[in-house]
Amino acid sequence: MNLNYTRSRQWLLLLLAVITFHASAQTAPPKTTVDLAKLDAYYQKALKEWEVPGMAIAIVKDDSVIFAKGYGVRDLKAGGAVDANTVFGIASNSKAYTAAALGILVDEGKISWNDPVTKHLPYLQLYNPYVTQNLNIKDLLSHRAGFKTFSGDLLWYNTTYSRREILERARHLKPAYGFRDGYGYSNLMFIAAGEVIEAVSGQTWETFIKERFFTPLGMSRSYTSVKELTGKDNIASPHGFDGKNKPYPTTFTAWDNWNPAAGIFTSVSQQAQWMRLQLNRGTYKGQRIFSENASRTMWTAHNALPISKQAEANVPSTHFSAAGLGWMMTDYEGRKVMAHGGGHEGMNSRTVLVPEENLGIVILTNSMSSIMSPLANYTLDQFLGVQNGRDWSQFTLDNIAKARKAQEEAQEKTGKEKPRKSKPTMDMQAYAGTYNSPLYGDATITLQNKKLVLQLAPAPALGGTLAHWQHDIFDLEWKNNFALLTPTRVRFIIGPDGAVAEMRLDSDNPDFHFDELEFKKVTP
């Protein structure tokens, strides 16, 4: 499996936190002892070493944008230089907007952080009545509902389900740990948060974000849907990785059903305005957008995370890690750091804030690599004056190379997986039919030109042709080369009566839990 790929959304969630500084209002750019030319050269060198098509970086210090620049190209085939105004998908960096939107509603007295979610979304049901009744708004925003990381994400990925339909199916998701007793990154709960905003305000999440944030912050080239990018210029193209770990340009898919979790598109010059708002604790150019109390609540640790032995060895100055509301937090060199990553299909990003230092850093890329985190870490070291600081880019590349080598050596020892010589135990037509997953919906297997074809009914773009591997297991050749899809097998389960009874999709995919789709055959 592509090692860079496996560090897509999961690595964004677990990598070392990076940086950003807090701001005090002033009109003239502040003086800084950091050598920005040195940083610029470091970024350019890293872009080449990581083979990233393009990226843009902005730094906010003391309420001023002191650095904003683009690197590389918007599209490997079409070209086009990236600049500070190039628009990228920021994916899960959108979660901080959703949390702040709820903070505004708290300020206005329309909701409380402790409101039961069912007060506003009476249709929502989870895995047991107690959790359903006690799940509150803070739970939605701090990844403590009890689900494993990315649980249920196939409900939004390329499906036609509305946000409400996604949430109505969430009752079939199984918990991975006790309610408020662990951490599991949940996009679905942020979709629910977006639905709370609509239920309370009477506005869609998209309209609320535009009116309450984009307009007052002057973010006129920021968008809340892929559909809004049509006809716009200076838009970066997403890039996946091929089998040789080389980037290739792909296209965006309009997943509007996940927007409250990850739907915003913007540039570093405009995201810098968002960082100024955050670092000034809800005030932008003298205008109060949300209260300081709301800021403090969002930047409070609501769900503690363990620190691994490896993370402790890499960064000895880190003593805690936790989820806030729409933010992740840790400490570094004695400072509290607020950060979040974003993993779109073909675009990874990072936003980091260091309130005590009035510093903010945003890195947007059109790549699925993890270049953002080491660049942010290196930038942080420069601003904090860390002596003999680490070359974070090279350190991370070395670790990737070591992991890739270990993976290759392990594969050499075990040998390439070879199927046993066998034939399907059934006539091909016996596998055909409609299968149903209570969580996901229907899937069909049809026999076309002597080949079995899978189609996931809720997601017209997801399906493909089956090639026999061994026994009742088939390799799935996806009909669309989406960057987030990995090699997948379709396994049929024979029932006690000797007929095909069930179907499973087996995939070592770090972003989607295909094992949650427990399909049972309902019609031949």
Side-chain angles (χ1 to χ4, degrees):
M1 182 179 295
N2 183 322
L3 189 61
N4 278 338
Y5 167 76
T6 63
R7 283 162 169 76
S8 57
R9 292 195 295 161
Q10 290 226 13
W11 212 16
L12 293 176
L13 303 177
L14 302 175
L15 258 178
L16 302 174
V18 270
I19 46 180
T20 339
F21 282 14
H22 182 98
S24 58
Q26 61 180 59
T27 55
K31 294 180 180 179
T32 176
T33 57
V34 172
D35 186 344
L36 296 179
K38 177 183 176 182
L39 280 176
D40 182 29
Y42 189 84
Y43 301 152
Q44 294 185 54
K45 181 173 181 287
L47 184 82
K48 295 178 181 178
E49 293 175 338
W50 284 78
E51 296 185 276
V52 168
M55 68 180 183
I57 300 175
I59 302 172
V60 170
K61 182 73 171 81
D62 296 332
D63 205 27
S64 291
V65 182
I66 64 169
F67 185 92
K69 187 176 179 180
Y71 302 85
V73 295
R74 299 194 297 268
D75 187 294
L76 272 180
K77 288 185 177 180
V82 173
D83 59 34
N85 297 312
T86 300
V87 172
F88 295 79
I90 67 170
S92 288
N93 286 292
S94 307
K95 287 180 169 66
Y97 287 80
T98 296
L102 289 165
I104 289 174
L105 294 177
V106 171
D107 290 340
E108 294 175 348
K110 296 178 180 178
I111 63 170
S112 163
W113 292 115
N114 293 313
D115 274 356
V117 177
T118 53
K119 177 180 179 180
H120 308 292
L121 306 179
Y123 61 83
L124 182 66
Q125 296 181 42
L126 296 186
Y127 47 88
N128 73 43
Y130 177 83
V131 176
T132 297
Q133 294 165 12
N134 288 275
L135 183 79
N136 64 33
I137 290 173
K138 286 190 291 188
D139 297 322
L140 296 180
L141 305 177
S142 57
H143 308 292
R144 63 187 191 187
F147 300 122
K148 60 186 175 183
T149 290
F150 302 148
S151 182
D153 274 4
L154 283 167
L155 289 173
W156 58 258
Y157 183 66
N158 279 299
T159 70
T160 58
Y161 289 136
S162 67
R163 292 169 198 165
R164 175 165 177 161
E165 288 171 331
I166 289 170
L167 296 176
E168 287 176 335
R169 290 182 173 275
R171 70 184 186 277
H172 297 293
L173 290 173
K174 299 174 183 178
Y177 56 87
F179 179 49
R180 296 177 186 159
D181 192 31
Y183 172 86
Y185 189 89
S186 179
N187 287 305
L188 262 60
M189 293 299 95
F190 272 82
I191 292 174
E195 288 295 270
V196 170
I197 292 169
E198 180 170 345
V200 174
S201 71
Q203 295 180 309
T204 64
W205 175 87
E206 289 80 359
T207 298
F208 196 97
I209 296 300
K210 290 175 182 176
E211 291 187 359
R212 298 303 188 98
F213 298 125
F214 291 177
T215 297
L217 271 58
M219 297 172 66
S220 59
R221 272 181 50 83
S222 296
Y223 310 101
T224 57
S225 171
V226 169
K227 297 174 183 177
E228 295 177 358
L229 303 181
T230 302
K232 304 296 192 301
D233 61 1
N234 204 4
I235 308 295
S237 296
H239 292 74
F241 281 111
D242 63 20
K244 296 181 179 179
N245 292 314
K246 300 298 182 182
Y248 68 90
T250 182
T251 56
F252 285 120
T253 304
W255 305 328
D256 285 0
N257 53 11
W258 83 326
N259 284 348
I264 292 176
F265 293 80
T266 190
S267 64
V268 294
S269 62
Q270 302 219 324
Q271 183 72 354
Q273 308 314 308
W274 171 251
M275 293 194 298
R276 292 175 64 192
L277 171 70
Q278 288 286 334
L279 291 168
N280 280 312
R281 293 198 178 272
T283 297
Y284 180 78
K285 294 183 178 181
Q287 179 182 359
R288 174 64 68 181
I289 307 296
F290 55 82
S291 69
E292 182 176 339
N293 283 339
S295 171
R296 292 188 178 281
T297 300
M298 289 185 280
W299 288 1
T300 292
H302 293 275
N303 190 8
L305 279 70
I307 297 175
S308 69
K309 183 178 181 179
Q310 186 62 53
E312 192 175 65
N314 288 342
V315 189
S317 68
T318 294
H319 303 94
F320 86 96
S321 179
L325 303 184
W327 291 95
M328 307 304 294
M329 65 187 72
T330 188
D331 63 323
Y332 181 69
E333 295 293 330
R335 281 82 162 183
K336 183 178 180 180
V337 177
M338 310 299 302
H340 212 290
H344 210 289
E345 190 162 50
M347 289 190 170
N348 285 349
S349 55
R350 189 106 178 135
T351 303
V352 185
L353 308 174
V354 184
E356 296 162 78
E357 301 292 345
N358 303 321
L359 176 71
I361 302 165
V362 58
I363 303 173
L364 307 181
T365 81
N366 59 357
S367 163
M368 291 178 69
S369 79
S370 55
I371 188 174
M372 325 80 56
S373 292
L375 292 192
N377 284 337
Y378 181 83
T379 307
L380 178 58
D381 282 354
Q382 304 311 300
F383 278 92
L384 297 185
V386 175
Q387 298 298 314
N388 301 315
R390 175 181 286 155
D391 181 346
W392 284 100
S393 178
Q394 191 60 53
F395 172 78
T396 308
L397 284 171
D398 289 345
N399 282 341
I400 290 174
K402 290 176 184 177
R404 182 180 293 129
K405 183 178 180 181
Q407 184 183 51
E408 291 172 350
E409 290 175 349
Q411 289 176 346
E412 288 177 2
K413 288 181 180 179
T414 58
K416 186 175 181 181
E417 187 179 26
K418 296 180 179 179
R420 299 172 184 173
K421 292 183 178 180
S422 65
K423 295 181 179 180
T425 62
M426 301 283 181
D427 179 80
M428 297 293 271
Q429 187 62 47
Y431 299 104
T434 298
Y435 297 76
N436 178 265
S437 161
L439 170 68
Y440 190 74
D442 288 346
T444 60
I445 296 289
T446 56
L447 186 60
Q448 302 177 21
N449 299 320
K450 298 182 180 181
K451 291 186 177 181
L452 295 175
V453 177
L454 167 71
Q455 178 59 56
L456 301 182
L462 297 184
T465 302
L466 307 190
H468 183 251
W469 184 65
Q470 68 176 24
H471 304 306
D472 298 304
I473 305 173
F474 296 75
D475 286 316
L476 172 59
E477 299 173 4
W478 291 105
K479 63 182 178 181
N480 286 301
N481 188 26
F482 294 133
L484 288 178
L485 295 179
T486 57
T488 304
R489 286 187 174 135
V490 177
R491 175 169 48 94
F492 295 96
I493 300 172
I494 310 303
D497 61 355
V500 177
E502 301 183 38
M503 177 179 70
R504 297 290 185 271
L505 273 63
D506 299 328
S507 179
D508 184 18
N509 189 309
D511 296 306
F512 299 113
H513 297 294
F514 283 93
D515 60 316
E516 292 181 330
L517 312 185
E518 299 177 348
F519 289 106
K520 293 187 177 181
K521 195 171 186 181
V522 293
T523 62

